[in-house]
Amino acid sequence: ISKGHNNCTYVRKSKLCGGMKKNEKSQQTKEFYVVTSCVHLFFFFGFDNKKEKKYDNCAMGQYNRLKNKYASIDFGWIEEFDKIITQYAKYFKLLKTLQGHSLNVRSVKFSSDGTKIVSSSDDKTIRIWDVESGKTIQTWMGHSAPVMSAQFSRDGNMVVSCSSDGSIGLWDVKSEKEIKRFIGHLQCVTNAEFSPNGNTIVSSSWDNTIRLWDIKSGQQIKQYIGHSHWVNDVQFSPNGQMLVSSSSDRTIKIWDVDSCQRIKELRGHLDVVKQAQFSPDCHLIVSCSVDKTIRIWDAKSGTEIQKLVGHFNVVSSVKFSLNYQTIISCSWDKTIRLWDAKLKTEFQRLEGHSNLITSIDVSSDCDVIVSSSFDMTIQLWG
């Protein structure tokens, strides 16, 4: 399968049929046309963001008819093709727009059960939203400056927030009260997140440092020093053994949590790195940058594997889906894009925000995407 004009994908007939006997050619030709028809339908109708949902349904119906018609051929239906179609059958559209913040929304995150969203804003507030109703159910104030990021603990009982006032807050969801304040960073704290085991919090800052905090004591227990400019983001690996940090020094660094030693330094971005994340199996890292690109890296070797190009402004956030072949990104160009990491192809584009998009998150079942923007809204896509 190779890429043709108009973003369609086709099978090269000459490679399938070359050097075969007449009856073999006929059989393979049938298979060629079946696959070509199906792939063409999905890449032209299913993945064109300008088309309506009805075209996507039309393509699915035609796909099933073709499958039923040709399933009896000697070579059989190509079962791997079912997997490809299933992966891309999801067609996201705007479900809801959530309004309540009075200034730019900086970040959005789902709770682990997908029923709630926590958001942070330049209006100095943290809001908890009910996904089903789209309504604010809690609003917290405590930071003295814009809140850069907020996220739930894995059990959903706590929220950690960080602010350009240099502090990190820990909040109890049930009592709606701040229960701890972590002080130590000298400048804006850009991100803070819980470790997978829930015992610690890691934070990144414009003071060029990454810090690890003990939740029970509220004390700093480790510091990771190595970046020469602002650290814009830091995240745990899914197994909790490593950290990945993104910096304005144009590098991504992988750290050993326990020893505080730098394991790898990833170089390739041509401008500020906004964010980086491990794949679910910890083998890959995806990153995004002011250079408008998304890059995929081998976490063990530190080498760049792929570069995704398409956004025409800063790429502000990027996520692996659970199958880690699909990557979701958002940008200051006001779009959210879904990519096939292996094919290096954008297969869907979401447009709804009227200003730059600051962050995205994906529900645990991968059915819903949430986005935040400088247009002061949060949007749900599903």
Side-chain angles (χ1 to χ4, degrees):
I1 296 176
S2 57
K3 189 174 181 183
H5 66 282
N6 294 329
N7 290 323
C8 295
T9 297
Y10 63 94
V11 180
R12 292 190 184 276
K13 181 177 175 182
S14 59
K15 289 188 177 181
L16 281 175
C17 302
M20 297 180 184
K21 295 178 181 179
K22 186 176 181 179
N23 62 334
E24 290 177 331
K25 286 184 180 181
S26 176
Q27 187 61 52
Q28 285 286 46
T29 301
K30 284 182 185 178
E31 196 165 291
F32 159 72
Y33 283 121
V34 174
V35 175
T36 302
S37 298
C38 293
V39 178
H40 178 85
L41 279 165
F42 271 85
F43 272 76
F44 187 73
F45 290 116
F47 303 158
D48 187 345
N49 65 291
K50 295 179 182 178
K51 306 292 181 184
E52 298 289 342
K53 176 70 173 177
K54 61 184 178 182
Y55 291 113
D56 186 58
N57 292 334
C58 175
M60 179 62 80
Q62 182 68 359
Y63 166 76
N64 287 328
R65 284 192 290 275
L66 285 165
K67 178 177 178 178
N68 292 334
K69 182 176 180 181
Y70 291 103
S72 61
I73 64 175
D74 292 340
F75 283 88
W77 185 255
I78 302 173
E79 298 302 330
E80 286 300 313
F81 196 66
D82 276 343
K83 297 178 183 178
I84 297 170
I85 292 302
T86 300
Q87 179 182 340
Y88 293 126
K90 176 69 177 179
Y91 186 95
F92 288 93
K93 63 180 181 179
L94 182 62
L95 300 176
K96 290 186 182 99
T97 298
L98 315 185
Q99 295 180 311
H101 283 294
S102 58
L103 288 173
N104 305 328
V105 188
R106 290 280 178 177
S107 76
V108 278
K109 293 279 187 181
F110 280 105
S111 59
S112 58
D113 63 7
T115 62
K116 297 176 184 176
I117 292 165
V118 62
S119 61
S120 63
S121 170
D122 284 357
D123 65 13
K124 306 176 189 177
T125 69
I126 301 154
R127 288 178 179 252
I128 308 293
W129 307 78
D130 177 71
V131 170
E132 186 175 354
S133 68
K135 303 295 185 183
T136 300
I137 52 178
Q138 294 180 29
T139 303
W140 305 333
M141 298 184 69
H143 289 291
S144 60
V147 187
M148 304 300 288
S149 174
Q151 71 163 249
F152 287 101
S153 59
R154 185 164 290 186
D155 60 12
N157 294 329
M158 293 185 291
V159 165
V160 63
S161 63
C162 61
S163 169
S164 58
D165 66 12
S167 71
I168 300 161
L170 186 65
W171 307 78
D172 181 81
V173 173
K174 290 182 180 178
S175 68
E176 303 183 28
K177 293 181 180 179
E178 185 177 5
I179 52 179
K180 274 193 181 65
R181 182 65 65 104
F182 303 85
I183 303 294
H185 281 297
L186 306 177
Q187 293 188 47
C188 170
V189 184
T190 53
N191 191 39
E193 74 165 41
F194 292 99
S195 60
N197 64 16
N199 294 330
T200 58
I201 289 168
V202 70
S203 60
S204 55
S205 171
W206 286 357
D207 66 10
N208 303 0
T209 70
I210 299 158
R211 304 185 189 219
L212 194 70
W213 310 82
D214 179 72
I215 288 180
K216 288 184 179 179
S217 68
Q219 298 299 307
Q220 176 185 311
I221 51 179
K222 294 182 188 294
Q223 189 170 169
Y224 306 80
I225 298 175
H227 283 294
S228 59
H229 210 307
W230 297 345
V231 188
N232 298 313
D233 184 68
V234 64
Q235 297 187 29
F236 277 100
S237 60
N239 61 17
Q241 297 174 6
M242 296 176 286
L243 301 171
V244 60
S245 57
S246 312
S247 173
S248 294
D249 65 14
R250 304 183 181 185
T251 71
I252 300 156
K253 297 186 192 297
I254 304 173
W255 307 83
D256 180 87
V257 171
D258 292 333
S259 69
C260 298
Q261 295 300 306
R262 185 184 71 199
I263 302 170
K264 290 289 177 184
E265 181 175 274
L266 314 183
R267 290 183 174 270
H269 280 296
L270 305 178
D271 210 324
V272 170
V273 187
K274 296 289 287 182
Q275 194 177 74
Q277 182 196 39
F278 280 98
S279 61
D281 62 6
C282 300
H283 293 163
L284 302 174
I285 287 171
V286 64
S287 61
C288 61
S289 169
V290 173
D291 69 11
K292 308 173 190 175
T293 70
I294 298 158
R295 298 179 192 237
I296 303 168
W297 313 78
D298 183 284
K300 186 175 182 180
S301 67
T303 57
E304 182 182 318
I305 300 171
Q306 305 229 11
K307 180 169 71 173
L308 306 178
V309 179
H311 284 295
F312 55 86
N313 208 327
V314 173
V315 188
S316 48
S317 184
V318 66
K319 302 283 181 187
F320 277 109
S321 69
L322 287 181
N323 68 5
Y324 59 87
Q325 183 172 331
T326 301
I327 288 171
I328 306 168
S329 62
C330 68
S331 169
W332 290 7
D333 65 15
K334 307 177 191 176
T335 69
I336 299 164
R337 306 192 189 205
L338 283 75
W339 308 79
D340 183 294
K342 290 185 179 178
L343 297 178
K344 297 191 288 186
T345 305
E346 173 194 327
F347 62 85
Q348 193 178 354
R349 188 179 306 181
L350 310 177
E351 297 176 294
H353 286 291
S354 61
N355 206 331
L356 63 88
I357 304 174
T358 53
S359 77
I360 48 170
D361 197 22
V362 188
S363 60
S364 57
D365 59 9
C366 296
D367 272 351
V368 184
I369 297 169
V370 64
S371 57
S372 61
S373 171
F374 270 26
D375 65 12
M376 300 183 287
T377 71
I378 296 162
Q379 294 188 338
L380 287 169
W381 308 81

